Amino acid sequence: MRELNKGDEITSFRDFVENENPVNWDDFHARGKEVFEDSRFHILSEEQSYCCGYTEIYVDDLIDCHIDHYKKKSQFPALEFDWNNFIVATKDNEFGANHKDSVYKIQQNEYNSILNPVTDDANRFFKYTEWGEIEANTENLTEQEIEKANKTIEVFNLKHKSLTERRKDVINIVNSMTGQFTLTELKQHLSSSGFVSVIEQYG
């Protein structure tokens, strides 16, 4: 997880919400399908560099992702159409957004205990072992921040075996290219690999 490059909502989304007054998210899908798809693509491409906002998995097919409400709309109805509450995430049930909501079942009072990639410098909180495991970056964090990092890992299940293996694959590629490229060049070469935080640590 890393801090996202969140910007202002796109014009079509703002106009639709202001002029069409959608009742809820289902209504938005039904009457504003094109606006929804434009919004999802903009967030993914312009704000998240085609990476899942929680796991950093590279996403190149919109079928594989959705707009997640970081703070669940059932718990925070006032944020249902708040652009800053939108994070594009993969649809995997075992980690990420779906794990947060359907498996861990985050409660309203727990959001202060986890990181928000829209507002927090999330990449500062984590480091990655050579085996691809994510850990709290204890050397640079306070005790309270370490607790928040560990809670975030738990809520989004960022230690899942699939994520660990994918990170390790990226680390192996980076290690095989050591000394051949600058970090900027590495990130360009591996732009479709996801896991930018891992590349930055090992590049």
Side-chain angles (χ1 to χ4, degrees):
M1 183 184 289
R2 61 192 291 106
E3 184 177 12
L4 304 180
N5 182 33
K6 202 68 181 173
D8 295 331
E9 70 264 31
I10 58 175
T11 303
S12 60
F13 174 81
R14 184 182 65 244
D15 290 348
F16 182 85
V17 173
E18 290 179 355
N19 299 326
E20 301 297 328
N21 297 309
V23 176
N24 52 39
W25 200 247
D26 289 338
D27 186 31
F28 176 41
H29 269 285
R31 296 194 292 122
K33 183 174 174 56
E34 186 175 338
V35 176
F36 168 82
E37 291 178 350
D38 288 347
S39 299
R40 180 176 56 173
F41 179 73
H42 177 87
I43 294 168
L44 181 65
S45 61
E46 300 301 319
E47 299 182 350
Q48 298 181 195
S49 301
Y50 292 96
C51 290
C52 170
Y54 301 123
T55 65
E56 296 191 49
I57 290 174
Y58 183 76
V59 180
D60 59 356
D61 191 337
L62 291 176
I63 294 175
D64 296 330
C65 65
H66 68 291
I67 294 178
D68 177 62
H69 290 77
Y70 169 77
K71 291 187 174 180
K72 293 181 66 173
K73 54 186 182 291
S74 61
Q75 297 171 341
F76 299 87
L79 300 179
E80 187 160 9
F81 294 100
D82 186 332
W83 188 265
N84 287 321
N85 195 39
F86 297 166
I87 296 177
V88 171
T90 57
K91 294 179 179 178
D92 307 89
N93 289 322
E94 296 184 320
F95 47 76
N98 289 357
H99 188 274
K100 164 178 66 84
D101 295 335
S102 302
V103 181
Y104 181 87
K105 297 182 179 179
I106 190 167
Q107 300 302 303
Q108 190 171 5
N109 63 353
E110 292 184 288
Y111 284 94
N112 288 334
S113 301
I114 65 170
L115 294 166
N116 182 344
V118 172
T119 57
D120 293 318
D121 182 12
N123 37 312
R124 180 176 70 84
F125 283 73
F126 303 108
K127 64 180 179 180
Y128 303 89
T129 70
E130 60 186 299
W131 299 281
E133 298 166 336
I134 187 171
E135 297 178 345
N137 189 11
T138 55
E139 295 178 6
N140 299 320
L141 303 177
T142 65
E143 232 175 90
Q144 185 177 11
E145 288 174 329
I146 291 170
E147 289 179 8
K148 183 172 278 194
N150 286 328
K151 187 70 171 180
T152 301
I153 290 171
E154 178 188 0
V155 169
F156 294 99
N157 199 21
L158 299 180
K159 286 184 178 286
H160 189 274
K161 183 179 179 182
S162 173
L163 296 175
T164 300
E165 290 176 347
R166 294 187 210 197
R167 294 188 202 106
K168 186 166 190 313
D169 288 342
V170 171
I171 291 169
N172 287 338
I173 294 172
V174 171
N175 287 341
S176 73
M177 302 170 78
T178 298
Q180 301 176 54
F181 304 100
T182 66
L183 177 57
T184 300
E185 291 170 336
L186 267 177
K187 288 164 74 173
Q188 290 173 342
H189 284 300
L190 301 176
S191 60
S192 62
S193 297
F195 303 105
V196 177
S197 298
V198 174
I199 295 170
E200 288 178 346
Q201 180 179 328
Y202 283 88

